Amino acid sequence: RKINLFHAFFIFFETRDRHKSRSKDSRSEKSVTINSPPAEPLLGDSSVRGEQVQDDNWGETTTAVTGTSEHSLSQEDIVRITKDLEDSVGLDCRRYVTRTIAVILGLLVFFTPLAFLVLPHILWPEKLKSCGTACEGLFISVAFKLLILLLAVWALFFRPARAGLPRVFVFRILLAVLVFLFVVSYWLFYSVRILDSQDDNYQGIVQYAVSLVDALLFIHYLAVVLLELRQLQPCFSVCVTRSTDGETRHYNLGQLSIQRAALAIIEHYYCDFPIHNPALLSASKSRAAKHLAGLKVYNVDGEFPSQSRAMIAAAARRRDTSHNELYYEEAEHERRVRKRRARLVVAVEEAFTHIKRMQEEEPKKAPGDVMDPREAAQAIFPSMARALQKYLRTTKQQHCHSMESIQQHLAFCITNNMTPKAFLESYLTPGPTLQYGKDHWLGRRWTLISEASVTSGLKDGSVFVLKCVDFSLVVTTKKIPYIQMSEEYIDPKSHKFVLRLQSETSV
């Protein structure tokens, strides 16, 4: 009985532990997936009817809660995420360390001439000779030169960082090393020839400090040449192509390293390229269905009933006429876009006409009844909302504009007395990335892929890739050719001619 009782307790505790472990595993395997929309929909679901509209908006305003997750993180994904976090922390630490070193070096450069002037008065004041008028004039020269140097260094080096580059800027490091060696050399000479001997010629000490400030000003001029003026002359023509839709732009760049050229290209990209719209890249559902219908049908048993033969023949005919279907599909899409664009233009013009009528009636109203531009925009927005919603969905731009952003743009146009065409320009023509909300471009991380070192300069035929989350920019470099220009002299007398007139003519 004791053995049976012990065996029963053992089985009870074992089943309880298994139940706890299973409950923990089930809780750990559960996850919640939320597909949040990138922008707020224009109208609610109650105002939208029809299967086509539901297909256009599918997945934009859907919240899905799942139990056991179908996708799990592998060990490689965890290692990659950890590496990305370490890289980001490393970049931040390197940025702060670089800024700290620059501040320390700047303070050393600024206070070194002042230390040259003050130390003799502190260490051996009784041995110094009196400083004459020329020496006092040098004091004024040192003060103004140090002020100019301080402003110049602040304007050139202490500017907000535009981006975080993967490697250091070679010219800036060389200039920092040059300044450090230069100041150390002056300190060594000062300690050996002036501090040890306790030189009593204070005018010579002041001139020594003035020579240091002059040399620092010349080094700053060298920094302006290397960092700013050297890259102004165009030397290379770069072709930037977006990998998804083939959008291409051309830019002229100077003598830059690959990483600084990549930074200049990204800055141009945000201002020149139209916004990337993945919805325009996906094939239409009807075309995909027709493509699936055009697949071959095989019968394993070797018998082809009449229905299968008819399907094969129909698929062959569809493949032969696929270009016609594409042509008519694109023509139908253009017709729909033109139709909804016309409705949108009419709705916006009527809304702005109503605003103009309200502005004419404002002087007759009481001060409390006058609406501000924000209230006016909210008042007329419903009259154009449906037409704008249909147009944005037809052109696949509904994720780029939210209701709040449209109302803000409408209030801005009303405040500045802009025309309906000026209001519609932001929606009829896709603009650059910076025209849209910050969620489309702020904090976007780029990866530079290059076979050559990113600190090396651009060369003829250089190719590198700027990779983003959704797409990549492929950059090819061509050197601007040497231009040989000759002059041809034209004698001014060769342009003269004689008009011979006859008396019989009517001239």
Side-chain angles (χ1 to χ4, degrees):
R1 290 180 180 178
K2 292 181 180 179
I3 294 174
N4 294 334
L5 183 61
F6 176 77
H7 184 66
F9 275 103
F10 177 77
I11 293 174
F12 171 75
F13 283 112
E14 184 178 3
T15 54
R16 188 181 66 175
D17 293 338
R18 288 180 180 177
H19 179 69
K20 288 183 178 180
S21 63
R22 289 177 181 176
S23 62
K24 290 181 180 179
D25 293 338
S26 62
R27 286 195 301 267
S28 62
E29 290 178 355
K30 287 185 178 180
S31 62
V32 178
T33 304
I34 299 177
N35 297 326
S36 58
E40 197 174 325
L42 294 179
L43 297 175
D45 295 336
S46 61
S47 61
V48 182
R49 304 294 179 191
E51 183 179 359
Q52 183 67 26
V53 177
Q54 183 180 0
D55 292 338
D56 291 340
N57 292 330
W58 186 87
E60 292 184 4
T61 57
T62 304
T63 302
V65 181
T66 60
T68 304
S69 175
E70 297 179 357
H71 304 284
S72 60
L73 287 175
S74 63
Q75 188 68 23
E76 296 179 356
D77 297 334
I78 296 175
V79 172
R80 190 184 76 252
I81 294 173
T82 306
K83 184 177 181 301
D84 294 339
L85 291 176
E86 291 177 355
D87 292 342
S88 63
V89 174
L91 287 174
D92 293 338
C93 293
R94 187 178 66 183
R95 183 176 62 184
Y96 289 120
V97 168
T98 304
R99 188 174 299 176
T100 304
I101 293 175
V103 170
I104 293 174
L105 184 59
L107 293 177
L108 177 64
V109 169
F110 183 76
F111 287 108
T112 293
L114 300 178
F116 288 170
L117 300 176
V118 173
L119 286 178
H121 285 283
I122 297 176
L123 299 179
W124 61 95
E126 66 280 355
K127 296 182 180 181
L128 292 177
K129 295 180 181 179
S130 60
C131 186
T133 305
C135 181
E136 295 176 355
L138 292 177
F139 284 152
I140 300 175
S141 175
V142 169
F144 277 97
K145 287 180 179 178
L146 283 178
L147 179 60
I148 294 173
L149 182 63
L150 179 64
L151 295 176
V153 170
W154 169 79
L156 183 61
F157 294 102
F158 291 92
R159 290 180 290 185
R162 296 183 297 171
L165 299 179
R167 300 294 179 184
V168 296
F169 190 13
V170 178
F171 285 143
R172 183 168 291 188
I173 295 298
L174 290 177
L175 289 170
V177 172
L178 177 61
V179 170
F180 179 76
L181 294 177
F182 191 78
V183 174
V184 169
S185 301
Y186 261 77
W187 269 110
L188 291 175
F189 187 85
Y190 184 82
S191 60
V192 172
R193 298 299 299 271
I194 298 177
L195 291 181
D196 292 345
S197 62
Q198 295 185 356
D199 192 2
D200 57 353
N201 186 9
Y202 191 67
Q203 183 176 358
I205 297 174
V206 175
Q207 290 178 349
Y208 183 73
V210 171
S211 66
L212 172 61
V213 178
D214 292 337
L216 292 175
L217 288 173
F218 280 109
I219 292 178
H220 185 271
Y221 171 73
L222 177 62
V224 172
V225 172
L226 293 179
L227 302 182
E228 301 295 332
L229 300 182
R230 182 174 176 268
Q231 64 188 18
L232 295 181
Q233 182 180 2
C235 298
F236 298 94
S237 175
V238 294
C239 176
V240 185
T241 306
R242 191 156 57 189
S243 59
T244 53
D245 55 358
E247 193 74 27
T248 304
R249 296 291 186 275
H250 295 269
Y251 303 105
N252 290 338
L253 299 179
Q255 293 286 350
L256 294 172
S257 61
I258 292 179
Q259 63 176 0
R260 290 181 64 81
L263 176 59
I265 289 170
I266 293 174
E267 291 175 349
H268 285 300
Y269 168 80
Y270 284 126
C271 298
D272 296 343
F273 276 73
I275 188 172
H276 180 257
N277 194 350
L280 296 177
L281 305 176
S282 58
S284 63
K285 295 180 289 295
S286 59
R287 196 187 310 168
K290 292 174 183 178
H291 175 70
L292 293 176
L295 298 177
K296 293 183 179 180
V297 180
Y298 295 95
N299 195 337
V300 181
D301 298 333
E303 297 179 358
F304 291 93
S306 59
Q307 184 178 3
S308 299
R309 294 175 182 176
M311 291 174 60
I312 295 174
R317 287 193 299 270
R318 289 193 187 98
R319 285 196 302 270
D320 294 338
T321 61
S322 59
H323 62 282
N324 290 330
E325 295 176 358
L326 176 61
Y327 170 76
Y328 287 114
E329 182 179 350
E330 291 181 351
E332 176 64 20
H333 177 72
E334 292 177 0
R335 187 192 65 82
R336 291 178 58 197
V337 169
R338 289 196 303 268
K339 182 179 179 180
R340 296 193 174 182
R341 176 174 178 172
R343 290 180 178 177
L344 175 60
V345 171
V346 171
V348 172
E349 288 179 351
E350 291 179 354
F352 272 75
T353 303
H354 182 64
I355 284 291
K356 189 175 181 180
R357 190 182 305 113
M358 292 171 58
Q359 290 177 351
E360 294 176 353
E361 296 177 356
E362 279 183 359
K364 304 177 183 179
K365 295 182 180 180
D369 298 336
V370 178
M371 292 190 299
D372 59 355
R374 179 67 177 177
E375 295 176 350
Q378 293 177 353
I380 68 170
F381 178 71
S383 62
M384 68 174 74
R386 189 169 184 82
L388 182 59
Q389 179 194 36
K390 288 185 177 181
Y391 178 79
L392 293 179
R393 286 177 178 173
T394 305
T395 56
K396 306 296 182 181
Q397 300 183 61
Q398 67 273 17
H399 66 283
C400 300
H401 305 279
S402 64
M403 183 173 63
E404 181 65 24
S405 65
I406 295 174
Q407 290 184 359
Q408 290 179 359
H409 181 57
L410 181 58
F412 175 79
C413 294
I414 295 174
T415 304
N416 295 278
N417 197 19
M418 301 172 71
T419 61
K421 186 176 181 181
F423 169 76
L424 289 171
E425 188 65 23
S426 300
Y427 310 106
L428 300 182
T429 305
T433 308
L434 286 180
Q435 181 180 338
Y436 299 88
K438 291 185 178 181
D439 53 340
H440 294 283
W441 52 269
L442 187 62
R444 178 167 289 180
R445 185 172 181 177
W446 295 82
T447 303
L448 176 58
I449 303 173
S450 174
E451 295 182 357
S453 175
V454 295
T455 56
S456 61
L458 291 176
K459 297 179 181 179
D460 188 15
S462 299
V463 179
F464 57 92
V465 178
L466 292 168
K467 189 176 181 181
C468 192
V469 178
D470 303 325
F471 57 91
S472 59
L473 301 177
V474 182
V475 183
T476 57
T477 307
K478 295 292 183 181
K479 188 175 182 180
I480 297 177
Y482 178 78
I483 300 174
Q484 182 68 38
M485 187 179 299
S486 60
E487 179 185 3
E488 182 179 354
Y489 176 74
I490 299 177
D491 189 3
K493 297 180 180 180
S494 61
H495 297 287
K496 295 181 179 180
F497 59 93
V498 178
L499 180 61
R500 298 181 182 276
L501 301 177
Q502 297 180 2
S503 58
E504 291 83 2
T505 62
S506 59
V507 178

